[in-house]
Amino acid sequence: MARNPLAESVGVDAAELADLIRALKEKGETVATAESLTGGLVAAVLTSVPGSSAVVRGGIVVYATPLKHELAGVDDELLAEHGAVHPDVAAQLADGARVTCRAAWGVGLTGVAGPDPQDGIEPGVVHIGVSGPEIAEVHTIGIDGNRHQVRAGAVAAALRLLSTLVDQQD
């Protein structure tokens, strides 16, 4: 297996990443992302695999809160009531990625990388949403470390969750 320096830099195993791309290809399924906290890193890591263009439809970077609604379809009332860092926002980001990019799978991420809290939420809180054919899940995790470590951990966790759910689908 060839090295994948980008994947390695965020703690993603290159072989497991290649297996995810291969599984999506074999199923004839595609994936898209809507990312806030990770700023496009999930899409970048996915596309670091040769041949990934067969399954990666695209990605939306919605770092600014209003863009979460405007580009990814996150409910305005949800954002007004709970802010941008909330499990339901991650779920809606995942759905928005699927719809906007016309993909079978959507991955949505929001959280606080730090160093400062956001809307009273401490750095390291990450919400990951994945939606796909007949399945949707949101996981909330805590990641210790600096800004890079939080973002890298979020990417790795999102790709693990996506891989697990893709493998569960028959």
Side-chain angles (χ1 to χ4, degrees):
M1 169 106 255
R3 286 193 62 227
N4 184 330
L6 179 58
E8 291 170 11
S9 75
V10 293
V12 172
D13 181 88
E16 290 175 10
L17 181 61
D19 288 345
L20 170 60
I21 297 297
R22 187 172 21 266
L24 287 165
K25 279 184 191 175
E26 289 172 359
K27 293 174 183 240
E29 296 176 342
T30 56
V31 64
T33 65
E35 303 177 60
S36 181
L37 146 98
T38 49
L41 278 172
V42 174
V45 170
L46 284 167
T47 59
S48 70
V49 176
S52 61
S53 61
V55 299
V56 178
R57 293 280 303 161
I60 308 164
V61 176
V62 288
Y63 213 63
T65 298
L67 293 182
K68 290 172 180 59
H69 169 72
E70 294 166 15
L71 299 178
V74 176
D75 183 68
D76 264 341
E77 291 179 21
L78 172 64
L79 292 168
E81 184 175 342
H82 295 287
V85 181
H86 190 272
D88 292 342
V89 172
Q92 289 187 19
L93 286 171
D95 287 337
R98 286 183 73 195
V99 170
T100 301
C101 296
R102 296 178 305 281
W105 292 92
V107 179
L109 295 99
T110 187
V112 182
D116 300 316
Q118 179 180 334
D119 299 327
I121 299 168
E122 291 299 313
V125 173
V126 176
H127 304 292
I128 302 164
V130 175
S131 64
E134 302 174 25
I135 193 165
E137 287 193 20
V138 176
H139 290 196
T140 298
I141 60 174
I143 302 170
D144 291 328
N146 63 34
R147 186 172 179 79
H148 171 74
Q149 291 166 321
V150 171
R151 289 167 37 104
V155 171
L159 291 172
R160 275 193 307 273
L161 178 57
L162 174 62
S163 184
T164 297
L165 296 179
V166 167
D167 286 346
Q168 287 177 2
Q169 296 290 299
D170 289 324

